[in-house]
Amino acid sequence: MTAPNFSDGTYLVDFEFHPARGREGNPPVPVCMVVREWPSGRTTRHWQTALHQMATTPFPTGENALCVAYYASAEMDCFHVLGWVPPVNVLDLFTEFRCLTNGLRLAHGSGLLGALMHFGLPSIGGEQKDTMRDLILTGGPWSPAEQLAILDYCETDVVALDDLLTAMHDQIDWPRALLRGRYMQAVSCIQMNGVPIDAEALEKLQTHWVAIQDQLIADIDSDYGVYDGRTFKANRWEAYLVANDIPWPRLESGRLDMCDATFREMARTYVEVAPIRELRSALSEMRLANLHVGDDNRNRCLLSPFRARTGRNQPSNSKFIFGPSVWLRGLIRPMPGWGLAYVDWSQQEFGIAAALSGDLAMMDAYRSGDPYLAFAKQAGAAPPEATKHTHEAVREQFKACVLAVQYGMGEASLAARINQPVARARQLLELHRRTYRTFWKWSDCAVDEAVLGGRLWAGFGWQIHTRDELNDRSLRNFPMQANGAEMLRIASILLTEAGIRVCAPVHDALLIEAPLDELDQAITTTKSLMQEASRIVLDGFELGSDVKEVRYPDRYMDKRGVVMWNKVMNLIGEPALA
DNA sequence: TCTATATCACCC
DNA sequence: AAACGGGTGATATAGA
């Protein structure tokens, strides 16, 4: 495809950097930058002392120039730290490489070296890259020879970018690639903002972590003796079962089936199993040693945009506050004078399926505000005047059915999920097929397209190759998740460009913050831009959103986590939440 | 003792 | 062959 004419030039940019004061969670400290003009190859090198003296970029970044990088969010983070105005046009070759090859088996991954190898281009060795990376991460100071080596290394990356751009240039879908580039800027903006964390509570949890676990174990395991320190020993559990004459299900491998569902099932018959089950789940939920919190008490980590096959972000679960169990979100707390809002699209996947399939009944159900109950009514299982209170049980079953369809669940799994006979699950799934015929036709088409065409794609060009593996369920689910991801990207762009302070994206939600007297307005703007993003992706169809608001001095809390939060706070002598 | 795999826990 | 989509991470066990 033809590239726009960038009359002020195309600039390949790479920074070397390390986290400030060596602490993960802090913004980066740029060490050097190399810029290479494309296609002329004219190159300039800038060491950090010079960078920090520059009020602006040493190359054009206006509407007639293009800035090219590999993993541009990192470069944009450096721009942010240096106080530079971000470029108008960004092309991120990592993103484009992911998009181009998503779903294919790549021999060398999707890093810069992997991309070079994919195109048969020369590169430095991986070991050399690791060595240089380690040298940079020491944080200096670097000898003159080391400075030269780091600059040389940085330059090899822009040379690589040059080769890559030449190789990929004609395969790039430019308008959409530039939109994805704008998203990488939004990602940087969000990463640099981060999530405000209650450092005091975090410190207490970290300090008392071991004691909390020990205390929970001591309280319960004294009757069982199955823990060795803080680890549950399967063989001791087996001994306990033998001693107490309890038959226990096994996996095919012969090992004891240790999943929570089995514990729950067994606890029904053998009540003595219940306490150990509770203890196991409590302990397994504890994880926060690796959380990346900067010196300013903000959780910042790589959001890993486009990492998932569906195009979703995939931040590390241990580094990102939204990764671990929900009760730890109690650590999220607005700064004094500030408020937070967690805004998520209501039943996003259902709405996407309705709009993109063009299923009128499904669209009606979505617009009713309660798709699950509406489905029950449309299927004739609830009267028109039913409410979520009068028909709670029916609604729960139809809700489970909707979610099951989205994941491609079979009748047996659905039956187990709703604790009903398989016949009931079969009936629910059949009702879905009958009520939403157009949706099912659309879903069948996706499978045909994937099998015959070898490819599926979302509205703004994110695609997946489907020749290697991928089952029916993944194929049917892809359009919903991938378009949901497109929607989140567009909302992230709209919000950050409108000046809303976005703290984090969470798949179908955004966490934002604002000074208390601006919070209401910020929420209004956020809802409206998220609605606009849905119209853009769904050809005019509007998705609503739900808001959870928190004002200082309150902390954020997911209702699913209140009990655990209070239990732990109780152990370390902190006041419980109301 | 280290690494690869299996299993399970959690998230949306 | 199984039949719950997309993920990350911790832990236990098996094997080198």
Side-chain angles (χ1 to χ4, degrees):
Chain A
M1 280 169 237
T2 321
N5 177 28
F6 296 107
S7 53
D8 289 342
T10 292
Y11 300 89
L12 315 169
V13 181
D14 188 53
F15 280 90
E16 302 306 325
F17 55 88
H18 60 81
R21 283 169 297 286
R23 181 166 170 177
E24 303 285 357
N26 278 336
V29 173
V31 172
C32 70
M33 175 182 79
V34 177
V35 182
R36 184 176 171 101
E37 196 182 25
W38 186 87
S40 72
R42 200 156 50 83
T43 303
T44 52
R45 303 163 31 133
H46 311 271
W47 188 248
Q48 62 182 163
T49 37
L51 286 177
H52 285 277
Q53 285 161 10
M54 292 177 185
T56 183
T57 47
F59 57 92
T61 55
E63 55 184 328
N64 295 317
L66 178 64
C67 178
V68 182
Y70 205 86
Y71 226 88
S73 50
E75 269 59 47
M76 294 304 105
D77 288 353
C78 291
F79 268 53
H80 172 94
V81 167
L82 292 168
W84 294 352
V85 176
V88 174
N89 300 302
V90 169
L91 176 71
D92 180 31
L93 292 181
F94 161 77
T95 300
E96 296 317 301
F97 182 69
R98 280 282 299 120
C99 191
L100 205 64
T101 58
N102 186 32
L104 300 178
R105 264 189 264 266
L106 295 178
H108 308 284
S110 39
L112 180 57
L113 296 188
L116 291 169
M117 281 154 122
H118 180 80
F119 290 107
L121 297 167
S123 70
I124 62 166
E127 318 78 46
Q128 196 191 337
K129 210 173 174 66
D130 291 342
T131 309
M132 292 310 295
R133 181 63 47 89
D134 290 344
L135 175 61
I136 292 158
L137 288 179
T138 62
W142 298 276
S143 70
E146 287 171 333
Q147 294 183 23
L148 198 63
I150 291 172
L151 279 165
D152 284 345
Y153 164 65
C154 192
E155 186 167 340
T156 64
D157 275 358
V158 293
V159 171
L161 275 176
D162 193 319
D163 291 341
L164 255 190
L165 179 59
T166 304
M168 294 173 68
H169 189 272
D170 294 339
Q171 295 177 63
I172 288 171
D173 176 351
W174 285 89
R176 288 164 166 182
L178 294 176
L179 183 70
R180 289 187 280 267
R182 258 169 92 191
Y183 176 62
M184 290 307 263
Q185 306 225 48
V187 163
S188 165
C189 186
I190 296 169
Q191 278 177 177
M192 289 297 92
N193 191 31
V195 182
I197 296 294
D198 179 348
E200 219 173 293
L202 175 61
E203 161 82 30
K204 281 213 172 92
L205 280 182
Q206 283 171 336
T207 312
H208 296 108
W209 207 233
V210 172
I212 291 165
Q213 293 187 58
D214 285 345
Q215 204 160 336
L216 288 170
I217 292 169
D219 284 353
I220 294 163
D221 189 51
S222 49
D223 296 338
Y224 301 83
V226 293
Y227 274 85
D228 176 11
R230 278 172 295 280
T231 54
F232 183 94
K233 300 303 267 190
N235 50 358
R236 291 196 192 178
W237 180 238
E238 189 164 6
Y240 172 87
L241 294 172
V242 171
N244 291 272
D245 209 17
I246 300 174
W248 197 268
R250 288 178 185 275
L251 299 170
E252 273 185 39
S253 59
R255 292 162 58 177
L256 291 173
D257 183 349
M258 302 291 273
C259 77
D260 188 57
T262 301
F263 270 84
R264 192 195 319 126
E265 188 60 34
M266 293 305 287
R268 279 198 212 167
T269 315
Y270 304 93
V271 289
E272 61 268 44
V273 168
I276 209 82
R277 177 195 166 214
E278 242 184 69
L279 177 61
R280 269 169 50 89
S281 66
L283 294 176
S284 73
E285 283 170 358
M286 291 187 172
R287 242 188 291 149
L288 48 60
N290 202 18
L291 207 62
H292 283 5
V293 178
D295 296 335
D296 57 354
N297 301 328
R298 313 272 303 184
N299 171 225
R300 283 189 198 88
C301 72
L302 215 61
L303 294 173
S304 295
F306 300 104
R307 183 54 73 182
R309 300 203 297 180
T310 52
R312 278 181 171 183
N313 306 324
Q314 207 52 251
S316 155
N317 277 342
S318 60
K319 296 170 184 153
F320 188 45
I321 186 63
F322 285 96
S325 193
V326 289
W327 72 269
L328 283 167
R329 293 179 193 181
L331 289 170
I332 301 174
R333 194 189 193 195
M335 300 178 291
W338 288 66
L340 291 165
Y342 184 92
V343 190
D344 64 319
W345 281 290
S346 324
Q347 288 85 38
Q348 189 197 37
E349 288 197 12
F350 186 90
I352 290 170
L356 294 184
S357 69
D359 190 305
L360 297 177
M362 215 170 177
M363 289 161 86
D364 278 346
Y366 185 86
R367 290 198 198 92
S368 77
D370 187 346
Y372 310 130
L373 190 61
F375 170 31
K377 290 178 186 178
Q378 289 167 332
E385 68 277 10
T387 69
K388 83 172 16 171
H389 306 294
T390 63
H391 288 68
E392 197 187 341
V394 173
R395 183 178 178 276
E396 283 307 309
Q397 288 189 5
F398 279 75
K399 175 179 177 177
C401 175
V402 164
L403 298 175
V405 168
Q406 277 160 199
Y407 294 158
M409 202 183 277
E411 57 190 32
S413 307
L414 176 57
R417 178 64 171 267
I418 60 178
N419 203 14
Q420 292 285 315
V422 174
R424 175 57 174 164
R426 187 181 308 137
Q427 183 190 33
L428 285 166
L429 290 168
E430 180 53 31
L431 285 172
H432 194 285
R433 283 190 171 273
R434 209 180 300 164
T435 309
Y436 302 130
R437 286 183 194 282
T438 311
F439 161 77
W440 279 96
K441 232 178 278 171
W442 173 78
S443 182
D444 293 343
C445 279
V447 178
D448 292 346
E449 185 59 48
V451 172
L452 300 175
R455 196 172 71 94
L456 282 177
W457 59 93
F460 284 79
W462 182 255
Q463 60 165 358
I464 186 165
H465 294 277
T466 54
R467 276 187 224 289
D468 301 340
E469 52 176 86
L470 275 197
N471 62 46
D472 184 85
R473 300 177 300 279
S474 304
L475 299 175
R476 289 180 193 274
N477 183 262
F478 180 85
M480 293 183 267
Q481 264 198 47
N483 282 291
E486 298 265 29
M487 195 182 296
L488 185 73
R489 288 197 286 275
I490 290 178
S492 302
I493 291 170
L494 295 176
L495 283 165
T496 52
E497 290 183 1
I500 298 288
R501 294 168 198 262
V502 181
C503 303
V506 195
H507 300 314
D508 68 342
L510 289 155
L511 182 74
I512 64 148
E513 69 179 345
L516 283 171
D517 59 347
E518 295 169 23
L519 187 60
D520 289 339
Q521 182 55 51
I523 291 172
T524 305
T525 306
T526 300
K527 285 181 72 86
S528 141
L529 292 177
M530 285 173 71
Q531 195 173 55
E532 185 177 336
S534 81
R535 282 198 303 270
I536 291 169
V537 174
L538 304 180
D539 197 23
F541 193 76
E542 289 182 347
L543 299 190
S545 52
D546 302 306
V547 181
K548 189 157 33 179
E549 197 179 314
V550 183
R551 293 169 178 264
Y552 182 86
D554 293 343
R555 62 180 71 253
Y556 180 94
M557 181 50 75
D558 189 293
K559 61 174 185 282
R560 294 165 295 174
V562 175
V563 169
M564 184 66 183
W565 178 267
N566 284 344
K567 187 190 273 184
V568 171
M569 287 301 133
N570 195 29
L571 283 176
I572 58 178
E574 287 293 307
L577 290 168

